[in-house]
Amino acid sequence: MAAVQQAPVAAHDLVVEPGQLPKLRSNYGNVIASQSTGWLKPTPIDTPLEEMRRRFDEDGYVWVKNVIPREVVLDMRQHYFEHMSPTGLLAPATTPRAGIFNSALDPLAHHGVGGRDLPPSAHSISLLTSAHSTPAYLGFLEDSSLRAFIRAFTGWRREVLVARTLLRHNVPHGLSTGVHYDKLFLRAGEAEFLTGWVPIGDCGAEGGGLMYLEGSTALGKRMEREFWRKSEGWSDEQRIDAFNANMTRDGQLTHDAEEFGRTRGEGKMRWLTGDFEAGDVVFHNPYMIHGASKNEDPEGRIRLSTDLRFYEEGAALDKRWMQIWNPDDVDIEARQGVFSIPALQGNLDATAFAQRLTSNHGNYTEEALDGYQTVKGTYNISTTFCQPDTNASGTTVQVLSHGIGYDKTYWDIRYDNGNYSYVDIAVDEYGYSTVAIDRLGIGNSSHGDPLNLIQAPAEVSALHEITKLLRNGSFPTVPTAFKNIITVGHSFGSIQAYTLSAIDPSAQDALILTGFSGDTAFVPATIAAWNLHLARLNQPARFGSAHPRATPSRFDRSVNLYTLLAQSLRGAGLTDAEVQQELTTTELANLLVGSNATSTSPSASDSDAAAIAAAPQNLPAGYLTWPDFSANQYTFFYPGSFDLALGLQIEATKQPVTTGELLTLGSFPGSTGFAGPVQVVTGEKDAIFCGGDCYAVGADSGASSIPAEVAPAFPNASVFEAYVQPSTGHAINAHFNATGAYHAIQRFLGANGLGAS
């Protein structure tokens, strides 16, 4: 007779027999001996609060049953796995609510977030990142039952949940969370905090749930004192960093729980776990040592959970944790100006700001300066990493930093089958790895106060942190510790790379400064030519409010704005050619961007179309931009040397500039001690740094070009070269002959010992 297969027993129906001990192991090492394991003590939700607090104080944790309604938790589990379903994570013919792992996949390639280890798939990383900001998840974090319990248990009048939560899954036989205590990661806040670990679904003892080292609070405090003693003489930034030289690569104490309990726990402390149910929350103190067991769930269930940290309102919390988790987060510290300027409420205010900034009457940066402050915080720097298929083990990387008006796509312009892409040349033809960044405050990187946060010093600090991560092998998803770091900047990005070379000459091994010279005489004319407007008014669908007002009822019908405006202009007597000019090269084109208008750039790439269609950024008034393509052309393009359709595409996807950036634009040093190779690459007709003619040097100059005149700023450079790209304006990458400059750069690097290998 055929055997009858029993239905799997749900974790919440399991009964633990006396004497039965959980079988636990961590990422590495042996199964933990049975005499070194035990069960956590569950606490019913109706237990008196005094008893709960006593257990918390004595044990370092309290595992409270049924804090959140079970169905609320299971609904969140279903939402998460629906969100992650494009990865193929779930087994065929199973439901998202069950969350059963697809055993045909490699578990090491499908783990969730944790430390600095991420899955290799960029698509998976994107979904893991966006899962932290879905309305369903953000609503789950505000669950009234959970929040009411927090206030009752702590006695706080109001609680603050740090924005950086960690929503993570552990698949069977994949990676789990290493051994740590939470204070390691939140050292910058003086106040104590309460951690709540929330299993999102049932999680049996062998299902990868948390395990706590019994009575380890005192050990955690002792280890933290040891870390502070070892870091004496370090900067504050280094001491609070969970990834500093005293820590492992991902900030954990270890990934071998068995060995840790045997040595640091002296074999006297047991690892405790439980059969957790949906609705439970385990609360623990900042020093309680814990980690996750390896998920060996017999039914193949994926462990899903979130880590929540609560402070009392008004407490000195770790401000680095007040932004939603993102794998590209970096810690920034910069001393920069505190400015006061008249409020910018409309376009005429932006004009007045530009007038004061460019006036010969005085130095407006000094006039507006009230003092200085040190800016510290954790911010997201959006990056794109590319490496060649044939040289994935290369030890040289190019860091690509864009200028004003652009984002990281400047280096990978998707137009005319990729023939304008710098990345394609550097990666595919020369074998380099590249990292293109969105500067702080721009593109997909963190936005912020446009006056007193998004300034040149903070952006230089972000660039510095990126180079450190690449140098020490801690860059997210990239295991390589790069030996050679080459910074390739454009315009403002070049200024920042140059500034970094003066602050830390060892941070970069070569400098390629495109769209650059030492002559800033034409910068005021550039700002005047921009005729700056508020970005949110120029492209309201991209830069304006995230909550637009409803369409008035008399227009409440499907209307193509492009067609409507075209008809109106024709009615005013304009020819078709004149109408086309109005709707593509004036501010009308920007007003139409992101609306239901017909695209003014039919050749726009999918990525550009996505950028236009993305959710409005709701930028504050200190984010500025030029009004139309004519202003764009004046400063960035040389007539007759670019494709108009590409120019219009770039105008539609442009990025703004902040008042803080403009006030600190000229704050770079006069020289640098950098000792590596330096190449300055500037378009012959660059309007910003050459006034439209890079060969117009003075009679007594002695230099062959204006870019060559910057050589004295690099007295220690091993090699200095100035290369002038013929018939090209400021935005080199957007001109017909851009690839000529690309090849000149790669040849220069190769000739000076910095080839891709």
Side-chain angles (χ1 to χ4, degrees):
M1 184 174 72
V4 177
Q5 183 175 356
Q6 299 295 321
V9 179
H12 62 281
D13 291 330
L14 290 174
V15 176
V16 178
E17 298 294 338
Q20 178 185 347
L21 293 170
K23 181 180 178 182
L24 303 175
R25 76 169 85 227
S26 56
N27 280 336
Y28 308 106
N30 299 320
V31 174
I32 302 172
S34 59
Q35 65 268 25
S36 298
T37 65
W39 295 105
L40 292 167
K41 294 179 289 188
T43 300
I45 187 68
D46 57 359
T47 301
L49 288 171
E50 293 79 5
E51 174 62 15
M52 289 188 184
R53 294 175 187 135
R54 185 191 67 79
R55 294 186 183 185
F56 182 84
D57 291 340
E58 290 185 2
D59 299 334
Y61 76 89
V62 61
W63 168 17
V64 186
K65 305 289 293 179
N66 306 312
V67 175
I68 307 172
R70 177 177 175 80
E71 290 304 310
V72 171
V73 177
L74 294 179
D75 286 346
M76 183 62 228
R77 181 176 179 86
Q78 177 175 330
H79 166 76
Y80 178 85
F81 287 120
E82 287 174 347
H83 180 81
M84 296 299 298
S85 63
T87 65
L89 190 65
L90 300 181
T94 63
T95 66
R97 206 173 186 87
I100 305 299
F101 180 57
N102 182 353
S103 60
L105 301 178
D106 177 3
L108 296 181
H110 288 274
H111 56 84
V113 306
R116 287 185 171 172
D117 290 316
L118 291 166
S121 165
H123 183 50
S124 294
I125 295 171
S126 175
L127 289 172
L128 288 170
T129 304
S130 58
H132 286 77
S133 56
T134 65
Y137 179 61
L138 296 178
F140 178 74
L141 299 179
E142 298 296 329
D143 179 77
S144 59
S145 299
L146 171 64
R147 294 306 191 95
F149 178 84
I150 295 290
R151 291 189 291 273
F153 177 71
T154 60
W156 297 338
R157 182 169 176 268
R158 290 180 181 172
E159 77 287 355
V160 174
L161 171 64
V162 299
R164 185 185 178 93
T165 65
L166 289 174
L167 177 60
R168 66 176 110 212
H169 69 256
N170 291 350
V171 303
H173 310 294
L175 295 174
S176 59
T177 309
V179 176
H180 65 282
Y181 54 89
D182 288 355
K183 187 66 175 179
L184 289 170
F185 300 96
L186 290 92
R187 287 171 166 155
E190 296 180 4
E192 294 299 303
F193 55 89
L194 177 70
T195 294
W197 179 71
V198 183
I200 304 178
D202 300 330
C203 180
E206 295 182 355
L210 281 197
M211 53 183 181
Y212 290 82
L213 189 61
E214 188 176 28
S216 60
T217 298
L219 175 59
K221 290 182 177 180
R222 187 164 65 249
M223 295 187 75
E224 184 65 2
R225 288 194 297 270
E226 291 174 7
F227 282 124
W228 278 99
R229 179 180 55 79
K230 290 179 181 178
S231 63
E232 288 181 0
W234 292 6
S235 69
D236 290 343
E237 178 187 6
Q238 291 173 312
R239 300 189 85 183
I240 66 174
D241 186 0
F243 307 99
N244 66 37
N246 290 331
M247 309 300 300
T248 62
R249 178 182 178 275
D250 60 355
Q252 309 294 326
L253 298 174
T254 180
H255 281 276
D256 189 340
E258 189 275 335
E259 187 271 342
F260 186 89
R262 179 166 36 82
T263 56
R264 295 306 297 257
E266 300 178 346
K268 300 176 182 179
M269 300 176 179
R270 298 180 300 164
W271 285 104
L272 309 179
T273 191
D275 288 322
F276 305 106
E277 301 178 88
D280 295 353
V281 181
V282 185
F283 298 97
H284 61 259
N285 68 46
Y287 300 97
M288 186 68 177
I289 295 173
H290 59 285
S293 62
K294 199 170 187 67
N295 184 351
E296 297 178 311
D297 186 275
E299 308 302 330
R301 282 178 294 206
I302 304 171
R303 188 210 97 175
L304 178 64
S305 66
T306 188
D307 299 346
L308 312 179
R309 276 88 184 188
F310 295 93
Y311 286 89
E312 184 176 11
E313 185 181 57
L317 50 74
D318 191 332
K319 295 181 180 180
R320 299 174 303 165
W321 282 65
M322 293 312 292
Q323 297 205 49
I324 293 175
W325 176 84
N326 192 296
D328 291 327
D329 286 351
V330 298
D331 295 330
I332 291 173
E333 181 173 355
R335 182 166 174 78
Q336 51 187 32
V338 177
F339 295 105
S340 292
I341 63 173
L344 275 59
Q345 298 178 342
N347 289 333
L348 296 182
D349 297 322
T351 300
F353 169 76
Q355 287 176 293
R356 288 189 287 268
L357 188 63
T358 58
S359 172
N360 283 330
H361 176 70
N363 186 323
Y364 187 56
T365 295
E366 291 183 358
E367 293 175 14
L369 183 66
D370 284 344
Y372 293 91
Q373 65 176 347
T374 298
V375 171
K376 294 182 180 180
T378 300
Y379 300 94
N380 172 244
I381 301 300
S382 180
T383 64
T384 299
F385 176 80
C386 295
Q387 65 181 13
D389 296 331
T390 57
N391 187 27
S393 60
T395 58
T396 299
V397 63
Q398 296 187 23
V399 180
L400 313 177
S401 180
H402 63 87
I404 289 172
Y406 291 87
D407 57 19
K408 61 181 177 289
T409 61
Y410 174 78
W411 304 103
D412 191 25
I413 296 174
R414 292 289 107 187
Y415 183 83
D416 190 22
N417 298 316
N419 286 329
Y420 290 82
S421 173
Y422 178 90
V423 170
D424 284 358
I425 298 291
V427 174
D428 296 338
E429 296 193 29
Y430 289 87
Y432 289 97
S433 295
T434 62
V435 175
I437 70 171
D438 280 349
R439 296 191 335 267
L440 175 67
I442 304 300
N444 291 324
S445 290
S446 296
H447 298 156
D449 177 359
L451 181 61
N452 289 320
L453 174 59
I454 311 303
Q455 297 178 12
E459 296 180 36
V460 172
S461 176
L463 177 63
H464 198 184
E465 292 303 311
I466 293 293
T467 64
K468 292 178 186 177
L469 295 176
L470 291 165
R471 183 82 75 186
N472 64 27
S474 299
F475 191 83
T477 76
V478 182
T480 304
F482 289 97
K483 177 182 178 182
N484 298 315
I485 296 176
I486 301 160
T487 305
V488 185
H490 175 250
S491 193
F492 196 27
S494 291
I495 290 174
Q496 293 181 12
Y498 167 79
T499 302
L500 176 56
S501 76
I503 295 171
D504 182 1
S506 66
Q508 306 156 110
D509 297 286
L511 290 177
I512 307 295
L513 308 177
T514 75
F516 180 78
S517 81
D519 190 342
T520 60
F522 304 101
V523 171
T526 297
I527 295 173
W530 279 343
N531 185 23
L532 291 167
H533 287 195
L534 302 191
R536 61 180 297 112
L537 297 182
N538 180 250
Q539 286 193 8
R542 288 183 66 215
F543 301 137
S545 173
H547 304 286
R549 289 183 294 179
T551 304
S553 58
R554 66 192 183 97
F555 293 124
D556 193 13
R557 63 184 189 274
S558 179
V559 176
N560 185 294
L561 296 180
Y562 185 93
T563 301
L564 187 64
L565 286 170
Q567 291 173 346
S568 298
L569 292 170
R570 290 189 187 98
L574 273 63
T575 66
D576 286 349
E578 291 169 333
V579 169
Q580 182 67 10
Q581 285 284 313
E582 285 291 322
L583 296 181
T584 57
T585 62
T586 71
E587 194 161 16
L588 285 177
N590 283 308
L591 293 172
L592 293 171
V593 167
S595 71
N596 63 342
T598 300
S599 171
T600 59
S601 181
S603 54
S605 68
D606 291 341
S607 60
D608 287 317
I612 292 171
Q617 298 177 32
N618 197 23
L619 297 178
Y623 277 86
L624 309 174
T625 189
W626 46 84
D628 54 37
F629 180 68
S630 61
N632 194 335
Q633 175 181 313
Y634 182 88
T635 48
F636 290 96
F637 294 88
Y638 180 57
S641 294
F642 68 94
D643 186 326
L644 176 59
L646 174 57
L648 297 178
Q649 174 179 313
I650 288 172
E651 175 67 16
T653 58
K654 66 184 176 182
Q655 293 292 335
V657 61
T658 71
T659 49
E661 288 176 319
L662 292 170
L663 286 166
T664 57
L665 189 63
S667 60
F668 56 92
S671 65
T672 169
F674 180 71
V678 177
Q679 185 188 40
V680 176
V681 180
T682 304
E684 177 189 4
K685 303 299 182 180
D686 190 303
I688 299 178
F689 283 99
C690 293
D693 184 359
C694 279
Y695 290 116
V697 295
D700 56 350
S701 169
S704 61
S705 66
I706 292 175
E709 290 179 327
V710 79
F714 299 94
N716 299 329
S718 60
V719 178
F720 177 87
E721 176 182 289
Y723 173 84
V724 176
Q725 178 70 4
S727 302
T728 302
H730 184 64
I732 296 172
N733 296 17
H735 285 74
F736 287 134
N737 59 353
T739 55
Y742 302 166
H743 287 291
I745 291 169
Q746 316 314 314
R747 289 194 296 267
F748 173 82
L749 293 171
N752 288 285
L754 289 166
S757 60

